[in-house]
């Protein structure tokens, strides 16, 4: 493919992507396939000779699209939003074209410096304290991690390193292995499994803090556990708070927990370290932030978030109006946790029928031992009529299910 063909094929791909997204709601949101479907559709080995672009594009529809769960369909209400927008896609093209490996400033100054500035922009949008901002003095700041799981692991490893050094400053005779055996970290019993995985990789003990009736960690419970562990000769060093738990979008009480961590000699809510990521190299990902921030503006991003929160509230009102259902957690942002009043088995069957229909896509969670359906506003293009249609579909399946159960 030379530059001339790239121009032609690139325009064709832009048209394909635009058509895909404009017509995405016409596709079944969830695939009707068995695991292993793809292997029989393609050769066992890479081709020896080049194949035509036309054949590859045909195989996108034949091989790939039948196995795609369409995360950007307005009928996708599972998991969480996977942010995507046209400005981000355009920026991704440029990122791929530049193709730098930003492992140091010299490797690509623009890659390093734009990422630093974009993280500052984001920090200011979130109104983070000044100590989190790099500014022009080299204090604070951060880098874009590949996933939230990576970010959690990095913060835990940094806190672990800092805790070991602090203890050795006080008692130089203590070995690192001896200190590590006594370190203890904390997180919510509602925290994502990636937090526990970070502790396993970091080879430290992690205790799960019981939550209140809104599934949030409160000060007194964490304080009690920290004091018990210190009395037992352990070294509390890390607490991972959650702002929006995966099951129910619960928010731990930072205004209570922050001061507790600050007052606990070896427990901190954040740490600074010179190595800010696991990979040495990184893509020019900040271009996507730069394009999106500039083409949406802060007000545009706020409007998008508020719209999705309003859609969640609309769905909540529909659930509350139907006495067969119950809301299972406070609706904070764009997630509604609900269930049929009845057994876990009844709700499992309802979700099974929803999934089999392939018209909308939801996933479950467990809250206080109950099987709960999660309805998350995910797609950028979701509108009120999609919420109404989804609810009509759920209630129709519910009617059929209860009719069968009554017989």
């Amino acid at each position: 493919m030379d530059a001339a063909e790239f121009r032609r094929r690139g325009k064709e791909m832009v048209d394909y992507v635009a058509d895909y997204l404009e017509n995405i709601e016409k596709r079944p949101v969830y695939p009707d396939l068995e695991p292993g479907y793809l292997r029989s559709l393609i050769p066992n080995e890479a081709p020896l000779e080049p194949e035509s672009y036309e054949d590859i594009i045909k195989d996108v529809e034949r091989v790939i699209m039948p196995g795609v769960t369409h995360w950007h369909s307005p009928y996708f209400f599972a998991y969480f939003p996977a942010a995507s927008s046209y400005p981000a896609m355009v920026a991704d093209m440029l990122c791929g074209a530049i193709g730098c490996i930003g492992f140091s400033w010299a490797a690509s100054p623009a890659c390093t410096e734009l990422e630093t500035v974009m993280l500052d922009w984001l920090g200011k949008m979130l109104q983070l304290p000044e100590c989190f901002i790099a500014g022009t003095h080299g204090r604070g700041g951060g880098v874009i991690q590949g996933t939230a799981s990576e970010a959690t692991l990095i913060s835990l490893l940094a806190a672990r390193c800092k805790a070991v050094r602090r203890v050795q400053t006080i008692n130089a005779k203590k070995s690192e292995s001896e200190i590590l055996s006594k370190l203890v970290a904390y997180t919510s019993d509602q925290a994502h499994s990636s937090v526990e995985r970070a502790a396993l990789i970091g080879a430290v003990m992690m205790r799960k803090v019981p939550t209140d009736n809104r599934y949030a960690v409160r000060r007194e419970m964490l304080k009690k556990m920290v004091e018990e562990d210190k009395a037992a000769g352990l070294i509390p060093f890390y607490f991972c708070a959650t702002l929006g738990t995966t099951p129910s979008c619960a928010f731990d009480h930072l205004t209570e927990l922050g001061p507790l961590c600050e007052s606990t000699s070896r427990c901190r809510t954040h740490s600074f370290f010179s190595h800010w990521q696991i990979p040495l190299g990184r893509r020019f990902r900040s271009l996507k932030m730069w394009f999106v921030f500039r083409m949406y503006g802060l007000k545009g991003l706020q409007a998008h978030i508020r719209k999705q929160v309003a859609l969640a509230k609309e769905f909540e009102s529909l659930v509350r109006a139907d006495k067969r259902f119950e809301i299972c957690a406070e609706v904070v942002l764009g997630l509604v946790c609900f269930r049929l009043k009845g057994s876990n088995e009844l709700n499992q069957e309802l979700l099974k029928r929803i999934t089999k229909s392939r018209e909308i896509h939801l996933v479950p969670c467990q809250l206080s031992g109950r099987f709960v359906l999660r309805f998350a506003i995910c797609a950028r293009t979701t509108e009120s009529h999609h919420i109404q249609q989804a609810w009509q579909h759920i209630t129709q399946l519910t009617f059929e299910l209860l009719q069968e159960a009554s017989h």
Side-chain angles (χ1 to χ4, degrees):
M1 183 182 287
D2 57 18
E5 186 180 3
F6 175 73
R7 290 178 190 273
R8 187 168 78 257
R9 300 306 189 188
K11 291 172 183 176
E12 290 174 2
M13 181 56 75
V14 168
D15 285 340
Y16 179 87
V17 170
D19 289 342
Y20 164 71
L21 292 172
E22 281 190 330
N23 299 292
I24 194 171
E25 62 184 87
K26 297 177 182 177
R27 297 177 183 260
V29 65
Y30 189 71
D32 184 19
L33 296 167
E34 294 296 324
Y37 88 96
L38 189 144
R39 185 171 290 275
S40 65
L41 299 178
I42 59 177
N44 289 328
E45 297 177 354
L48 185 63
E49 300 293 338
E51 296 184 3
S52 71
Y53 181 83
E54 288 83 2
D55 286 344
I56 297 171
I57 287 298
K58 287 178 184 176
D59 281 350
V60 170
E61 284 295 336
R62 183 182 70 89
V63 179
I64 304 302
M65 285 301 176
V68 170
T69 299
H70 298 286
W71 280 61
H72 300 290
S73 167
Y75 295 113
F76 181 91
F77 303 107
Y79 309 113
F80 44 79
S84 178
S85 65
Y86 292 119
M89 293 177 213
V90 173
D92 227 0
M93 289 177 64
L94 181 58
C95 173
I98 293 174
C100 64
I101 308 297
F103 54 79
S104 68
W105 181 88
S108 188
C111 177
T112 299
E113 296 198 11
L114 184 64
E115 189 163 327
T116 301
V117 176
M118 288 304 99
L119 267 294
D120 276 4
W121 280 18
L122 179 60
K124 291 173 182 177
M125 288 181 188
L126 297 174
Q127 298 182 4
L128 293 180
E130 189 67 26
C131 63
F132 284 90
I133 307 301
T136 58
H137 305 292
R139 302 179 63 186
V143 295
I144 303 169
Q145 303 293 335
T147 65
S149 301
E150 285 183 35
T152 302
L153 175 59
I154 285 291
S155 68
L156 183 139
L157 293 177
R160 187 189 74 171
C161 179
K162 193 172 184 180
V164 170
R165 290 175 180 174
R166 186 184 300 115
V167 173
Q168 288 181 329
T169 299
I170 299 170
N171 188 344
K173 293 183 179 180
K174 282 191 176 290
S175 67
E176 182 172 336
S177 59
E178 184 182 359
I179 298 169
L180 288 176
S181 69
K182 294 185 177 297
L183 292 182
V184 58
Y186 306 87
T187 194
S188 164
D189 62 11
Q190 298 293 305
H192 192 267
S193 59
S194 61
V195 181
E196 187 175 10
R197 191 182 308 123
L200 290 171
I201 296 171
V204 295
M205 183 191 326
M206 176 165 278
R207 296 189 65 192
K208 293 188 176 182
V209 184
T211 52
D212 64 12
N213 59 359
R214 292 188 174 183
Y215 306 106
V217 173
R218 304 301 299 254
R219 179 182 185 276
E220 288 307 312
M221 181 54 71
L222 177 60
K223 180 182 178 183
K224 177 175 179 289
M225 294 175 68
V226 168
E227 289 175 348
E228 289 173 352
D229 289 340
K230 290 175 75 173
L234 299 176
I235 306 172
F237 80 105
Y238 178 85
F239 171 64
C240 181
T242 302
L243 302 182
T245 60
T246 301
S248 66
C249 201
F251 278 59
D252 292 338
H253 292 265
L254 283 192
T255 53
E256 298 178 3
L257 298 166
L260 172 63
C261 291
E262 289 296 331
S263 66
T264 302
S265 61
R266 295 188 181 93
C267 188
R268 292 290 185 270
T269 53
H270 63 272
S271 298
F272 296 107
F273 44 103
S274 60
H275 302 292
W276 286 4
Q277 61 180 24
I278 296 170
L280 178 61
R282 62 185 185 275
R283 299 175 69 238
F284 203 164
R285 292 174 293 195
S286 57
L287 279 172
K288 295 176 71 172
M289 299 174 71
W290 196 44
F291 273 58
V292 170
F293 289 168
R294 294 182 69 182
M295 296 191 74
Y296 274 84
L298 178 56
K299 289 185 177 179
L301 294 171
Q302 290 172 333
H304 170 70
I305 293 169
R306 287 167 180 158
K307 173 188 171 185
Q308 297 213 317
V309 172
L311 290 173
K313 287 293 184 180
E314 179 180 349
F315 185 81
E316 178 190 14
S317 68
L318 293 171
V319 176
R320 290 191 183 279
D322 192 324
K323 300 305 180 184
R324 297 172 298 178
F325 290 87
E326 59 183 330
I327 296 293
C328 303
E330 182 183 7
V331 179
V332 181
L333 291 176
L335 175 65
V336 182
C337 292
F338 73 107
R339 72 194 301 273
L340 263 174
K341 293 176 181 176
S343 67
N344 284 346
E345 292 74 20
L346 187 68
N347 283 277
Q348 288 169 347
E349 179 60 27
L350 175 58
L351 180 61
K352 182 179 177 181
R353 296 185 182 205
I354 291 171
T355 303
K356 188 176 180 180
S357 74
R358 301 166 63 214
E359 291 191 26
I360 62 174
H361 189 40
L362 281 66
V363 293
C365 70
Q366 291 280 339
L367 291 175
S368 302
R370 298 189 300 171
F371 186 90
V372 173
L373 280 64
R374 296 171 73 260
F375 189 95
I377 311 299
C378 294
R380 175 177 48 83
T381 55
T382 304
E383 301 288 349
S384 176
H385 70 271
H386 297 115
I387 303 300
Q388 297 291 334
Q389 289 176 29
W391 180 243
Q392 288 173 14
H393 184 64
I394 291 170
T395 54
Q396 178 60 37
L397 293 176
T398 298
F399 175 78
E400 295 170 1
L401 173 59
L402 294 178
Q403 281 287 97
E404 293 177 19
S406 66
H407 295 314

